Amino acid sequence: MKVDNQHVQQKVFDSAKKLLFTRGVKGWNTDMLAREAGLAKNTLYKIIGSKEQIVEAVAMAQVRENAESAASFLQTEIDWADKQKSLRAVRTALERFTANMSRFEPVVLPQIYLQYPGVEVKINALVKDLTLLAHDFFQQAKDNGFIRPEVDPEVVMDMVRAMVAHYIQQGADKSQFEDRVKKAFDYVLQGITA
Amino acid sequence: MKVDNQHVQQKVFDSAKKLLFTRGVKGWNTDMLAREAGLAKNTLYKIIGSKEQIVEAVAMAQVRENAESAASFLQTEIDWADKQKSLRAVRTALERFTANMSRFEPVVLPQIYLQYPGVEVKINALVKDLTLLAHDFFQQAKDNGFIRPEVDPEVVMDMVRAMVAHYIQQGADKSQFEDRVKKAFDYVLQGITA
């Protein structure tokens, strides 16, 4: 974004987000975005370089929001000594993570990836940090006897990634995505806890 | 294949299979296939329509072999009353399934899909029948109290598919694939059994 005006930038961002959520990726163009944001097209182009750039900005912000919420859980102190309490905490966090994702990832993200493959690369890079945090978290859970000692954290991470990717590729809708990912996470959790 | 000569057809098939396993999809052409099979190129083209057709035939045969082995297990009588014995039977079958797949699926199949996307469609159709058998098997396992009553067989099938697809897409090598898929299946099994 080129023009250094917080308010106008925010307006463009919010308008693009609204269009993405209501019309998908292909159902709008920059003329409509200018109208939605109440800007002349000239002014809009001083703020965004292209449709791809603003779509990328919205997608990154959305995924970053979910990733940060997940990251903050992964870094909280868990009372591992209380098995029931820690199981509840992990289950609640997984449910929130799934619910957060279901608003954006399964429906809008696949369209974005199809249209702008470059965005997928950047989102994957963004999610990489989360993987490292999750890895530490699993190690902690293992060290504290929450997860069975022989469980391979790499494989568990792969399972989480694979399930999310599977339902995104399947084009599952919001409630299907939430329901199935929740069940899958639950089976994995039951399969790895001590 | 156009020429009705079992022996020559088999020779071409075996040669194509050897080339696929040793050189991947792109490391050979029909000249090399003719040489490998000891045929003139004219004769070869009477037998195969194109490189794609013979690659498809080998891929289908390979996947069908694994699918039939899995299907035959899914249709055996399991002694559900003996929990330990049935758990061992399922685990052994999953290990054999993974080992069978690891010879071909993770290394050669992604190359084939990339080069000839039509083959992926046909393989997916081939695997569909297996999904139906697996579905019946899970239902049986549930009815007999082997799997917890609230487990959703659809989601379990999705997990199996997602894990296999994940490691195929990752380009995991044979032993990585075998090791990780085995672990993932094991966690799922522990997560769903009663």
Side-chain angles (χ1 to χ4, degrees):
Chain A
M1 299 199 190
K2 295 168 190 166
V3 169
D4 190 26
N5 179 329
Q6 279 288 149
H7 175 73
V8 178
Q9 282 185 11
Q10 187 65 44
K11 202 167 179 66
V12 172
F13 183 91
D14 292 343
S15 305
K17 185 171 164 179
K18 184 178 161 195
L19 288 170
L20 259 179
F21 271 87
T22 52
R23 297 176 163 265
V25 176
K26 286 185 152 186
W28 55 279
N29 55 29
T30 46
D31 282 325
M32 290 166 76
L33 177 59
R35 224 174 306 140
E36 180 73 38
L39 296 174
K41 208 164 170 199
N42 269 355
T43 318
L44 180 70
Y45 274 120
K46 284 182 194 143
I47 297 169
I48 63 162
S50 63
K51 181 176 167 184
E52 177 168 359
Q53 278 180 25
I54 186 70
V55 167
E56 179 181 310
V58 173
M60 293 290 278
Q62 204 68 25
V63 173
R64 189 177 288 120
E65 199 184 308
N66 300 350
E68 277 171 2
S69 154
S72 104
F73 169 76
L74 292 172
Q75 291 171 101
T76 51
E77 289 286 326
I78 302 276
D79 179 10
W80 297 111
D82 187 337
K83 179 90 196 288
Q84 285 313 310
K85 205 174 137 196
S86 51
L87 193 59
R88 228 165 24 238
V90 171
R91 191 162 278 147
T92 306
L94 278 173
E95 276 172 25
R96 199 175 42 210
F97 180 58
T98 313
N100 280 344
M101 268 198 301
S102 71
R103 285 181 303 143
F104 184 71
E105 267 86 341
V107 184
V108 189
L109 211 50
Q111 293 177 33
I112 297 178
Y113 286 176
L114 208 63
Q115 195 75 359
Y116 308 118
V119 177
E120 183 165 10
V121 178
K122 290 189 187 170
I123 299 248
N124 287 342
L126 182 68
V127 178
K128 219 165 194 166
D129 288 346
L130 200 60
T131 309
L132 293 176
L133 284 177
H135 196 276
D136 289 351
F137 183 84
F138 278 118
Q139 195 54 50
Q140 217 189 97
K142 254 176 88 162
D143 294 346
N144 286 281
F146 180 78
I147 289 176
R148 287 185 286 110
E150 76 277 17
V151 167
D152 182 340
E154 277 312 322
V155 173
V156 178
M157 290 304 306
D158 284 340
M159 292 175 87
V160 171
R161 266 191 296 256
M163 292 314 302
V164 172
H166 176 82
Y167 286 120
I168 287 178
Q169 281 165 16
Q170 291 281 302
D173 69 25
K174 188 183 177 305
S175 70
Q176 271 182 341
F177 180 88
E178 203 169 338
D179 173 58
R180 294 190 182 165
V181 171
K182 199 184 138 188
K183 285 176 179 166
F185 282 177
D186 195 50
Y187 305 156
V188 175
L189 194 62
Q190 299 218 36
I192 63 173
T193 41
Chain B
M1 298 196 192
K2 296 169 191 166
V3 169
D4 189 26
N5 179 329
Q6 280 287 152
H7 175 73
V8 179
Q9 282 185 11
Q10 187 63 45
K11 202 167 179 64
V12 171
F13 183 91
D14 292 342
S15 304
K17 186 170 165 180
K18 185 179 159 192
L19 287 169
L20 262 178
F21 271 87
T22 52
R23 296 176 163 265
V25 176
K26 286 185 150 183
W28 55 278
N29 55 29
T30 46
D31 282 325
M32 289 167 76
L33 177 59
R35 223 174 306 140
E36 181 72 38
L39 297 172
K41 204 159 176 204
N42 268 355
T43 317
L44 180 71
Y45 274 119
K46 284 182 193 141
I47 296 169
I48 64 163
S50 63
K51 182 177 168 184
E52 177 168 0
Q53 278 181 26
I54 186 71
V55 167
E56 180 183 309
V58 172
M60 294 289 278
Q62 203 68 26
V63 173
R64 189 177 288 122
E65 198 184 308
N66 299 350
E68 278 173 1
S69 154
S72 105
F73 169 75
L74 291 171
Q75 292 173 99
T76 50
E77 289 287 328
I78 302 276
D79 178 11
W80 297 110
D82 186 339
K83 178 88 196 291
Q84 285 314 309
K85 206 174 136 195
S86 52
L87 193 60
R88 227 164 26 236
V90 170
R91 191 162 278 150
T92 305
L94 278 173
E95 277 174 24
R96 199 174 44 210
F97 180 58
T98 314
N100 281 344
M101 268 197 303
S102 71
R103 285 181 303 143
F104 184 71
E105 268 84 342
V107 183
V108 189
L109 211 50
Q111 293 177 34
I112 296 178
Y113 286 176
L114 208 65
Q115 195 75 0
Y116 308 117
V119 177
E120 183 164 9
V121 178
K122 290 190 186 171
I123 298 251
N124 287 341
L126 181 68
V127 178
K128 220 167 193 167
D129 289 345
L130 200 60
T131 309
L132 293 176
L133 284 177
H135 196 277
D136 289 349
F137 183 84
F138 277 118
Q139 196 53 51
Q140 215 190 99
K142 254 176 90 162
D143 295 344
N144 285 281
F146 180 78
I147 289 176
R148 287 186 284 111
E150 76 277 16
V151 167
D152 183 339
E154 277 312 322
V155 173
V156 178
M157 289 304 305
D158 284 340
M159 293 175 86
V160 170
R161 267 191 296 257
M163 293 312 303
V164 171
H166 176 82
Y167 287 120
I168 287 179
Q169 280 165 17
Q170 291 281 303
D173 69 25
K174 188 184 178 304
S175 69
Q176 271 182 341
F177 180 88
E178 203 170 336
D179 173 57
R180 295 190 182 166
V181 171
K182 200 185 134 184
K183 285 176 179 165
F185 282 177
D186 196 51
Y187 305 157
V188 175
L189 194 61
Q190 300 219 34
I192 62 174
T193 43

